[in-house]
Amino acid sequence: MTRFGTIFCAAVAIAAGGYWLSQPQSSLPSNPLVGAAYAQETEVDTSTIIEMVQGAEDAPVEIIEYASYTCPHCAAFHEGPYKQLKKDFIDTGKVKFVYREVYFDRYGLWASMIARCAGPEKFFGISDLIYAGQSDWARAGGPTEIVGELRKIGRLAGLDNDTLEACLQDANKAQTLVTWYQENAEEHGIESTPSFIVNGKKVSNQSYADFKALIEAELGS
């Protein structure tokens, strides 16, 4: 999915995601540039954001995936090639896999805040649930219905209501995540999702066979 021509507008439109959740639906900000001014003028410390990692820290190949929870192509990758990648390379210690969220909209941000709510231990399991149910929760209706479906996924993963609400209402965390995402996207020149950085080189989405060949070349096998 290619949407980075509007990367800035998309990011600022969700910069106050936690605050929006605490307001009636009719009170949603109509002008995302209000968020833009805040994002530009405020120093945000992104060092507090935890990198979500699978595999051996000293693996010879590092793959960074940039993906959005609302991106159908990302869901397809996680339902297919990712599972093969994990079995063949991540679980065998050959690949260190880093997942970094991209935010096209507030729904993707909310999904990220749910996925991160229980920490690194449950992040990938919750992400699997979010991607598996993407066609349902992303089409549930308006913001109220969509966040309601995301809450259900959180509860299915074992999170209680108080914990979920604390995560979703954390406006500072939402702003920090958005800034972190912008920094990452700018650093690696990300223009579409899913995109991958393999040992420092940007790679577009491709078949698992091509991905496997690329990794094996990096491994020298």
Side-chain angles (χ1 to χ4, degrees):
M1 179 179 294
T2 304
R3 298 195 218 173
F4 277 80
T6 56
I7 181 174
F8 180 71
C9 292
V12 300
I14 57 175
Y19 171 78
W20 291 4
L21 281 171
S22 67
Q23 305 304 307
Q25 187 172 340
S26 61
S27 298
L28 296 180
S30 59
N31 183 1
L33 295 181
V34 174
Y38 177 82
Q40 284 185 309
E41 295 174 6
T42 304
E43 285 291 327
V44 179
D45 180 10
T46 58
S47 66
T48 58
I49 300 301
I50 298 172
E51 288 277 23
M52 296 303 177
V53 180
Q54 288 181 315
E57 186 64 32
D58 60 349
V61 177
E62 180 187 71
I63 297 177
I64 303 173
E65 180 192 5
Y66 284 92
S68 165
Y69 288 116
T70 58
C71 162
H73 297 296
C74 301
F77 173 79
H78 278 264
E79 285 295 292
Y82 163 74
K83 296 183 186 301
Q84 294 176 285
L85 175 69
K86 187 174 186 301
K87 178 182 177 182
D88 294 344
F89 296 104
I90 299 173
D91 292 345
T92 57
K94 297 176 182 177
V95 164
K96 174 186 175 183
F97 182 78
V98 182
Y99 181 92
R100 290 181 177 174
E101 301 97 298
V102 168
Y103 305 125
F104 291 132
D105 45 50
R106 53 184 163 169
Y107 308 132
L109 174 62
W110 295 347
S112 175
M113 293 172 80
I114 293 287
R116 288 176 169 271
C117 195
E121 295 77 13
K122 288 193 173 184
F123 175 82
F124 285 97
I126 297 176
S127 292
D128 286 345
L129 292 174
I130 291 171
Y131 277 125
Q134 184 193 84
S135 61
D136 295 322
W137 66 261
R139 300 175 183 174
T144 301
E145 291 78 15
I146 288 174
V147 77
E149 292 300 312
L150 288 171
R151 286 188 179 100
K152 289 180 183 179
I153 292 174
R155 288 193 290 270
L156 183 63
L159 299 171
D160 60 56
N161 288 332
D162 289 344
T163 301
L164 283 170
E165 290 312 303
C167 290
L168 286 169
Q169 303 296 346
D170 191 343
N172 288 333
K173 180 68 169 289
Q175 176 63 67
T176 305
L177 282 169
V178 169
T179 303
W180 172 75
Y181 138 69
Q182 289 176 300
E183 290 175 352
N184 289 333
E186 290 170 7
E187 176 187 357
H188 285 130
I190 301 302
E191 298 175 348
S192 63
T193 57
S195 285
F196 306 89
I197 307 297
V198 180
N199 279 352
K201 295 172 286 189
K202 188 166 70 172
V203 176
S204 61
N205 193 21
Q206 55 195 277
S207 70
Y208 180 68
D210 290 341
F211 223 135
K212 183 178 180 180
L214 176 65
I215 295 169
E216 288 176 340
E218 289 293 321
L219 291 170
S221 57

